[in-house]
């Protein structure tokens, strides 16, 4: 395999998770490319220099030097939402870059979204783009999706997905996360958290989901009213006529990090909750009983580290997402490409429009 010479655009918390994942691939898989941490860039010299020193990057560079670095062939776009599009354009125009990992959301404005569709039409020759919806590689979600696609549960009727946590109830946490408290669609709970939920629903139901309406709740004086702390949307699948809700929250006390999906179909029900992360449940009308399907670390290719029955965990999912990105060696996985990222972005953008309507209607 060709040597991977990575460049990180961003040196925050999510960049740390990506550095961990890239360092860990060799423990889990036998056939992996050699990975070299070539360069990291970020807005402030100290942040990139500290990151480079801690995680053994060859260089900490400003954006101009980074762009001219011909050694980089793989880029991870990990900065704030409002620079994702700008950084993608730059990466696409770097001749040596073959692989681009773009964190979600893919962009932050309707104009950027339109321009990204033009990029999608061009097929960006010679480049591979994968979007950072790592939750799709959670072991139990992968197994639940494979089971759903067998058709045993029949056609979907209605659904409900929750993506909740409560950290933004604390002022100190909000102060640390100011870049995520901008108005939608750049920021807000639905863009930051709900986009993962939209991605999950589209993996199960398809990318033609339509949004019908939206509402929001909660607010603090230090948070722009256009930055939803809690929001919920009503969605409709035109192909099956299934309908349901997706809720995203930063202010749900006591939930921890909760992701819960319920899919109700004409022959049964499928349920997944991150509070029971190593299994999913299903109910068959014909059997009149619930079944819990234990999953563990059911990744392909199978290796002895760790054994398949052990718990997987969030970081295991991001490791597998990177393995797929660098090798393509798991054709059964749902891989979020730029088209998928833009399908999710459509819902995020339309959510912002419906939330604005709601705020005017209730005199927010």
């Amino acid at each position: 395999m060709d040597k991977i010479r990575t460049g990180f655009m961003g040196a925050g918390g999510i960049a740390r998770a990506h550095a961990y994942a890239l360092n860990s691939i060799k423990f889990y898989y036998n056939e992996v490319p050699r990975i070299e941490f070539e360069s990291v860039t970020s807005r402030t010299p100290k942040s990139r220099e500290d990151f480079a020193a801690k995680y053994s990057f060859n260089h900490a560079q400003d954006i101009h030097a980074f762009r001219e670095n011909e050694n980089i062939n793989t880029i991870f776009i990990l900065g704030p939402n409002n620079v994702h599009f700008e950084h993608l354009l730059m990466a696409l125009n770097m001749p040596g870059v073959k692989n681009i990992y773009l964190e979600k959301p893919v962009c932050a404005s309707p104009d950027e979204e339109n321009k990204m569709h033009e990029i999608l039409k061009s097929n960006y020759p010679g480049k591979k783009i994968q979007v950072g919806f790592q939750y799709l590689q959670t072991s139990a979600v992968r197994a639940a999706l494979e089971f759903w696609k067998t058709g045993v549960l029949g056609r979907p009727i209605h659904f409900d997905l929750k993506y909740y946590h409560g950290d933004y109830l604390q002022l100190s946490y909000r102060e640390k996360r100011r870049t995520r408290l901008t108005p939608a669609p750049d920021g807000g709970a639905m863009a930051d958290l709900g986009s993962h939920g939209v991605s999950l629903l589209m993996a199960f139901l398809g990318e033609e989901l339509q949004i019908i309406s939206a509402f929001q709740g909660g607010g603090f004086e230090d948070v722009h009213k256009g930055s939803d702390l809690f929001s919920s949307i009503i969605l409709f699948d035109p192909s099956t006529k299934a309908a349901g809700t997706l809720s995203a929250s930063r202010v749900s006390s006591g939930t921890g990090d909760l992701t819960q999906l319920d899919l109700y179909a004409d022959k049964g029900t499928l349920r997944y909750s991150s509070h029971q992360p190593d299994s999913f449940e299903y109910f068959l009308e014909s059997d009149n009983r619930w079944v819990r399907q234990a999953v563990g670390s059911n990744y392909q290719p199978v290796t002895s580290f760790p054994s398949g029955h052990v718990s997987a965990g969030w970081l295991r999912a991001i490791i597998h997402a990177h393995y797929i990105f660098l090798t393509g060696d798991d054709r059964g996985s749902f891989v979020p490409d730029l088209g998928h990222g833009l399908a999710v972005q459509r819902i995020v953008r339309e959510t912002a429009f419906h939330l604005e309507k709601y705020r005017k209607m209730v005199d927010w």
Side-chain angles (χ1 to χ4, degrees), residues 111-185:
D111 181 58
E112 292 178 351
E113 185 182 346
N114 290 334
K115 291 175 181 176
M116 273 196 168
H117 276 287
E118 294 303 315
I119 294 171
L120 185 63
K121 290 177 185 176
S122 76
N123 291 319
Y124 34 89
K127 314 282 186 181
K128 174 184 178 179
I129 301 175
Q130 184 171 314
V131 180
F133 290 112
Q134 289 90 220
Y135 215 99
L136 292 166
Q137 305 311 326
T138 302
S139 57
V141 170
R142 288 162 52 89
L145 180 57
E146 182 179 3
F147 179 75
W148 173 260
K149 288 183 175 179
T150 65
V152 170
L153 297 177
R155 289 169 60 86
I157 300 174
H158 67 100
F159 52 86
D160 180 59
L161 191 146
K162 298 180 176 68
Y163 204 120
Y164 290 176
H165 71 70
D167 290 341
Y168 286 78
L169 289 167
Q170 308 301 320
L171 175 60
S172 60
Y173 193 88
R174 298 198 301 274
E175 289 176 341
K176 289 191 299 184
R177 296 292 187 272
R178 284 294 162 198
T179 60
R180 298 185 182 181
L181 290 171
T182 54

Side-chain angles (χ1 to χ4, degrees), residues 32 45 62 71 82 134 138 140 153 155 197 215-216 231 235 243 265 309 359:
V32 294
D62 64 30
N71 289 328
N82 61 8
Q134 289 90 220
T138 302
L153 297 177
R155 289 169 60 86
F215 60 89
Q216 69 183 81
S231 57
L235 295 166
H309 62 269
R359 291 192 297 269

Side-chain angles (χ1 to χ4, degrees), residues 225 358-364:
K225 65 181 181 180
Y358 173 78
R359 291 192 297 269
K360 290 179 180 177
M361 182 179 69
V362 300
D363 192 22
W364 189 264

Side-chain angles (χ1 to χ4, degrees), residues 252-274:
S252 292
S253 180
T255 59
D257 277 313
L258 171 65
T259 303
Q260 182 167 313
L261 170 64
D262 294 271
L263 280 171
Y264 298 90
D266 57 8
K267 296 181 182 178
T269 299
L270 183 143
R271 177 176 296 158
Y272 164 77
S273 172
S274 61

Side-chain angles (χ1 to χ4, degrees), residues 16-17 50 66 107 143 161 212 235 241 319 324 339:
R16 185 184 304 182
D50 289 350
F66 184 92
C107 58
L161 191 146
I212 306 301
L235 295 166
K241 310 306 180 189
I319 292 168
I324 295 169

Side-chain angles (χ1 to χ4, degrees), residues 15 18 22 40 90 144 149 157 192 202 213 264 277 302 344 354:
H18 284 278
L22 289 169
V40 58
M90 192 184 94
K149 288 183 175 179
I157 300 174
D192 192 33
M202 286 184 170
S213 63
Y264 298 90
V302 176
V344 173
H354 284 281

